[in-house]
């Protein structure tokens, strides 16, 4: 059974009959499916950073474009899943267990903030996401006791409202965030205005960075909601798959329709130049920019579309791992990467720093294949001898102090 640095160990099903053993096997398959989805997200970020540039087009360009933005959205979605695993999946932890779980999440958040700072200090062109994750964990923690449906409603409302607030706060090109930075200890400590992976310290993490919390929290909340459901039930899987496909169609299709009908929007030729899904496309200015579904555009339509993709990928991984032992064996290296996603992510940032890429994507298929092969082989071999990845083990040790909470 695989484990992840940002997730808790699964709730054990302890029964003495065959039904219990079958249920436990299904529970294990579900977590393996989550690790598979996380492994896909990690290698997707590898592709986005060092793989061929999508501007070249063709099949390779299309595949690379699929990885851009959608991989990080899937990663954020699964971060929400991990928070629920930490704090009690089907039933939120209460009492002393609940307090200990909260402390574990807060310690993880602090470590991710520090680690994000260190990785950013390497000076690569990677927009390090770990510090943002630390803030996400803190912001959503008060909601960990909410039921699945309530979390889903909160996620939906946040996807509709928060991007509009973000646009109003940042779309006017005002310098209010720069003024706020003067009183921001994180911006002050950085000494260069780019702490923890984003310009402007806390302001950057919340509003102006590459993964602003106001636009990315819906992914985390959606992941928390999904984790609350009984994912062993076929009917739940079918409904969630329908929701995932529906969100993707609504986001991308709604953007395509709006870009076609609204006067003054960008016209395009070819799928790679389509502003309803591709980073390569030209994005219109002003309020019309809110009609695109381009990854990292921080619009409601992009959040709906990418959340739909993330949910669809997760359900697909769960079903595939649950139904076929052969599939699980074939994808074992990728599952292993997902079980140590923090180690894999840090590895690829350090590798980019060592290789000295000045621009990203690095536009190198050999480098992408090489780095992917290294982490796949390392993770596969490591998990044969150790329960957790290297950084995952350190993170677990650092959070062990939470056991002293009474």
């Amino acid at each position: 059974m695989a484990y992840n640095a940002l997730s808790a160990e699964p709730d054990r099903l302890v029964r003495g009959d065959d039904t219990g053993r079958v249920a436990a096997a299904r529970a294990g398959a579900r977590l393996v499916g989550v690790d598979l989805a996380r492994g896909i997200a990690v290698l997707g970020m590898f592709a986005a950073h060092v793989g061929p540039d999508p501007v070249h087009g063709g099949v390779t360009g299309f595949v690379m474009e699929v990885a851009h933005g959608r991989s990080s959205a899937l990663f954020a979605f699964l971060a929400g899943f991990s928070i629920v695993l930490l704090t009690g999946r089907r039933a939120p932890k209460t009492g002393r267990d609940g307090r200990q779980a909260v402390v574990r999440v807060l310690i993880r958040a602090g470590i991710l903030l520090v680690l994000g700072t260190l990785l950013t200090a390497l000076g690569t062109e990677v927009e390090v996401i770990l510090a943002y994750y630390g803030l996400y964990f803190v912001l959503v923690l008060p909601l960990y006791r909410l039921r699945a449906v309530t979390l889903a409603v909160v996620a939906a409302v946040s996807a509709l409202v928060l991007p509009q607030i973000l646009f109003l706060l940042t779309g006017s090109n005002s310098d209010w965030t720069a003024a706020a930075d003067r009183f921001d200890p994180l911006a002050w400590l950085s000494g260069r205005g780019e702490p923890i992976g984003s310009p402007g310290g806390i302001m950057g993490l919340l509003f102006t960075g590459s993964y602003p919390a106001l636009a990315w929290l819906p992914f985390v909340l959606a992941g928390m909601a999904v984790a609350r459901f009984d994912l062993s039930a076929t009917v739940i899987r079918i409904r969630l798959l329908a929701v995932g496909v529906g969100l993707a169609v609504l986001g991308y299709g709604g953007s395509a329709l709006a870009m076609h009908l609204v006067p003054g929007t960008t016209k395009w030729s070819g799928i790679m130049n389509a502003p309803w899904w591709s980073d390569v496309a030209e994005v219109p200015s002003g309020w019309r920019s809110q009609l695109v579904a381009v990854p990292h555009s921080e619009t409601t339509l992009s959040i709906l579309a990418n959340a739909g993709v993330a949910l669809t990928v997760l359900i697909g991984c769960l079903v595939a791992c649950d139904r076929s032992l052969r599939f699980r064996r074939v994808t074992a290296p990728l599952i292993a990467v997902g079980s140590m996603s923090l180690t894999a992510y840090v590895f690829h940032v350090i590798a980019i720093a060592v290789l000295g890429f000045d621009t990203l994507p690095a536009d190198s298929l050999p480098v992408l294949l090489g780095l992917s092969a290294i982490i796949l082989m390392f993770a596969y071999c490591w998990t044969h001898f150790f329960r957790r990845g290297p950084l995952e083990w350190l993170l677990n040790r650092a959070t062990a102090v939470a056991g002293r909470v009474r």
Side-chain angles (χ1 to χ4, degrees):
M1 185 177 294
Y3 298 82
N4 185 265
L6 305 183
S7 65
E9 296 183 7
D11 296 331
R12 303 275 184 189
L13 297 178
V14 182
R15 299 181 188 174
D17 55 8
D18 290 339
T19 303
R21 287 193 291 272
V22 172
R26 289 176 65 85
R30 292 200 299 274
L31 284 179
V32 169
V34 174
D35 280 337
L36 176 60
R38 194 178 283 110
I40 292 172
V42 170
L43 290 193
M45 286 187 280
F46 277 37
H49 292 149
V50 302
D53 197 319
V55 297
H56 300 316
V59 175
T60 300
F62 180 84
V63 173
M64 292 300 104
E65 177 56 33
V66 169
H68 280 243
R70 281 159 279 268
S71 298
S72 50
L74 175 58
F75 208 45
F77 178 86
L78 294 173
F81 201 105
S82 297
I83 291 172
V84 171
L85 289 178
L86 278 166
T87 56
R89 185 179 170 201
R90 300 303 307 281
K93 296 177 181 179
T94 58
R96 185 177 69 178
D97 289 343
R99 292 189 292 272
Q100 290 178 350
V102 168
V103 172
R104 288 190 180 94
V105 173
L106 291 176
I107 292 174
R108 279 170 164 78
I111 292 174
L112 291 176
L113 283 166
V114 173
L115 188 55
T117 302
L118 296 176
L119 291 178
T120 301
L122 294 177
T124 69
E125 291 299 312
V126 177
E127 299 289 348
V128 180
I129 199 172
L130 295 183
Y132 295 90
Y133 274 19
L135 181 61
Y136 301 162
F137 278 26
V138 174
L139 293 177
V140 303
L141 187 56
L143 307 178
Y144 84 91
R145 293 186 180 182
L146 297 181
R147 296 178 302 134
V149 174
T150 306
L151 282 168
V153 171
V154 174
V157 172
S158 66
L160 294 174
V161 175
L162 294 184
Q164 319 314 321
I165 297 176
L166 181 64
F167 176 71
L168 292 175
L169 291 175
T170 62
S172 62
N173 295 320
S174 64
D175 58 355
W176 67 273
T177 55
D181 285 343
R182 289 180 295 177
F183 306 98
D184 188 335
L186 292 178
W188 179 75
L189 286 172
S190 73
R192 60 189 183 93
E194 295 182 357
I196 51 182
S198 67
I202 291 295
M203 292 297 103
L205 293 175
L206 287 171
F207 307 112
T208 60
S210 299
Y211 305 98
L214 256 65
W216 285 73
L217 282 180
F219 295 120
V220 183
L221 292 167
M224 293 175 67
V226 171
R228 281 271 185 261
F229 287 107
D230 180 9
L231 297 176
S232 65
T234 301
V235 65
I236 296 296
R237 289 180 173 182
I238 293 174
R239 289 175 180 174
L240 289 176
L241 181 62
V243 170
V245 173
L247 287 174
V249 171
L250 178 61
Y252 294 129
S255 176
L257 181 62
M259 298 297 291
H260 179 74
L261 296 178
V262 174
T265 55
T266 304
K267 304 305 176 183
W268 69 90
S269 60
I271 187 67
M272 292 303 295
N273 295 313
W276 53 267
W277 86 286
S278 174
D279 267 341
V280 177
E282 179 183 353
V283 176
S285 60
W287 64 268
R288 292 179 177 84
S289 64
Q290 298 303 292
L291 302 178
V292 306
V294 173
H296 298 298
S297 59
E298 277 71 63
T299 67
T300 291
L301 290 172
S302 72
I303 293 171
L304 294 178
N306 292 334
V309 171
L311 180 54
T312 302
V313 170
L314 175 61
I315 298 302
C317 290
L318 293 173
V319 172
C321 288
D322 198 13
R323 294 290 182 87
S324 174
L325 180 59
R326 178 176 296 179
F327 177 83
R328 290 173 61 177
R329 288 173 176 169
V330 170
T331 58
L334 187 54
I335 292 170
V337 171
S339 73
M340 57 175 71
S341 58
L342 181 62
T343 296
Y345 183 87
V346 172
F347 160 75
H348 105 283
V349 175
I350 294 176
I352 289 172
V354 171
L355 293 172
F357 292 122
D358 296 327
T359 59
L360 296 179
D363 200 13
S364 176
L365 183 59
V367 171
L368 171 60
L369 295 178
L371 293 181
S372 299
I374 290 172
I375 197 61
L376 285 166
M377 289 188 292
F378 173 80
Y380 183 70
C381 294
W382 184 276
T383 53
H384 274 68
F385 299 98
F386 303 99
R387 187 178 181 182
R388 298 180 175 90
L391 293 183
E392 285 73 12
W393 181 83
L394 290 173
L395 190 60
N396 182 69
R397 295 292 295 175
T399 59
V401 67
R404 300 180 182 180
V405 174
R406 293 293 181 263

